[in-house]
């Protein structure tokens, strides 16, 4: 299960991030679209070294090498305009992910992406007026790309994780259901329990 940071500041955010990792979070995507390179460095710096290998950078990718991060994420726009992927990234970056918004885009991905988000599956919790234009559960039946893991994003909650995994997604990513909750850690543990019980 993947968690994506809130694009906005969260009280005790680094403390919560550490708690999530201590509870078994496998990957944290750092998505702070308004951050300058300096702000991104200042955000990453207090995250414990033992967790750096589980961080995924959405922007300021060249910071990866400085902080011992070996995972980067490309937006759809970056992927489409990048002719030199993955050569232009620091050498430790072996685990790369990207974003897609249709099964056609997902199926056409190069095999060097470890996994890709497909969104939105449900009405977004964190973005206003962001909801599915197509039924992605129907779309995923046309999946031909099995080299890249498909990760559900958009409106994923404890109530729909099981359905999402049962209907063909390999994994789920959480954003609004974690950061809009009064107790992010308890919400994460609940979602993790549901996801793990499905995979047993």
């Amino acid at each position: 299960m993947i968690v994506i940071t809130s694009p906005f500041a969260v009280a005790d955010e680094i403390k919560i991030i550490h708690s999530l990792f201590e509870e078994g979070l496998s990957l944290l995507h750092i998505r702070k679209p308004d951050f300058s390179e300096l702000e991104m460095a200042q955000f990453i710096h207090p995250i414990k070294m033992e967790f750096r290998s589980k961080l995924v950078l959405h922007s300021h990718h060249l910071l990866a090498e400085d902080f011992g991060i070996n995972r980067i994420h490309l937006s759809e726009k970056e992927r489409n305009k990048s002719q030199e992927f993955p050569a232009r990234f620091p050498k430790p970056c072996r685990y790369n992910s990207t974003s897609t918004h249709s099964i056609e885009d997902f199926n056409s991905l190069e095999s060097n992406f470890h996994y890709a988000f497909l969104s939105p599956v449900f009405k977004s919790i964190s973005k206003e007026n962001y909801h599915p234009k197509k039924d992605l559960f129907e779309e995923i039946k046309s999946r031909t790309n099995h080299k890249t893991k498909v990760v559900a994003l958009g409106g994923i909650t404890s109530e729909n994780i099981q359905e999402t995994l049962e209907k063909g997604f390999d994994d789920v990513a959480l954003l609004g259901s974690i950061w809009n909750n009064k107790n992010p850690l308890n919400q994460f543990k609940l979602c993790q329990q549901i996801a793990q019980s499905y995979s047993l």
Side-chain angles (χ1 to χ4, degrees):
M1 197 163 61
I2 295 168
V3 170
I4 303 172
T5 59
S6 169
F8 310 110
V10 173
D12 297 320
E13 192 166 5
I14 300 301
K15 182 180 176 183
I16 294 169
I17 286 170
H18 285 155
S19 297
L20 292 173
F21 281 129
E22 286 158 6
E23 285 296 332
L25 174 63
S26 57
L27 291 173
L28 178 77
H29 277 241
I30 299 181
R31 181 181 176 274
K32 299 284 187 180
D34 297 328
F35 270 15
S36 66
E37 186 171 340
L38 177 59
E39 287 170 324
M40 182 63 78
Q42 290 171 333
F43 182 83
I44 298 168
H45 187 263
I47 298 175
K48 292 178 182 177
M49 287 295 297
E50 63 195 272
F51 302 133
R52 299 275 177 88
S53 64
K54 298 179 178 183
L55 300 178
V56 186
L57 275 186
H58 276 234
S59 58
H60 306 298
H61 296 132
L62 294 179
L63 289 174
E65 198 162 10
D66 295 339
F67 285 98
I69 297 170
N70 63 7
R71 302 169 189 266
I72 58 163
H73 181 89
L74 290 184
S75 67
E76 189 173 36
K77 188 183 292 185
E78 286 173 317
R79 183 182 75 246
N80 290 337
K81 73 180 181 184
S82 175
Q83 298 301 311
E84 35 193 60
F85 173 77
R88 69 186 174 94
F89 296 113
K91 63 181 183 303
C93 293
R94 299 185 305 276
Y95 303 98
N96 301 290
S97 58
T98 189
S99 298
T100 62
H101 299 92
S102 71
I103 197 65
E104 291 81 11
D105 281 347
F106 177 82
N107 285 338
S108 66
L109 289 175
E110 298 292 330
S111 59
N112 47 17
F113 288 104
H114 185 59
Y115 60 93
F117 296 141
L118 181 58
S119 68
V121 179
F122 300 99
K123 186 176 185 298
S124 175
I125 301 165
S126 59
K127 292 182 181 178
E128 280 189 43
N129 302 318
Y130 188 56
H131 47 77
K133 294 189 173 82
K134 292 183 178 179
D135 182 343
L136 292 184
F137 292 128
E138 282 301 311
E139 293 274 292
I140 203 172
K141 292 176 183 177
S142 305
R143 178 183 182 182
T144 57
N145 176 4
H146 295 280
K147 292 179 180 178
T148 306
K149 289 183 179 178
V150 60
V151 179
L153 174 63
I156 306 297
T157 68
S158 57
E159 287 81 20
N160 58 35
I161 286 175
Q162 185 171 340
E163 175 193 6
T164 302
L165 296 173
E166 285 175 349
K167 289 187 174 179
F169 283 89
D170 298 317
D171 204 347
V172 296
L174 307 174
L175 199 168
S177 62
I178 297 295
W179 302 108
N180 291 8
N181 194 284
K182 289 180 181 176
N183 193 321
L185 184 60
N186 280 355
Q187 181 66 11
F188 169 75
K189 287 160 75 173
L190 173 62
C191 293
Q192 182 186 51
Q193 188 177 20
I194 294 166
Q196 287 176 342
S197 65
Y198 174 77
S199 62
L200 292 176

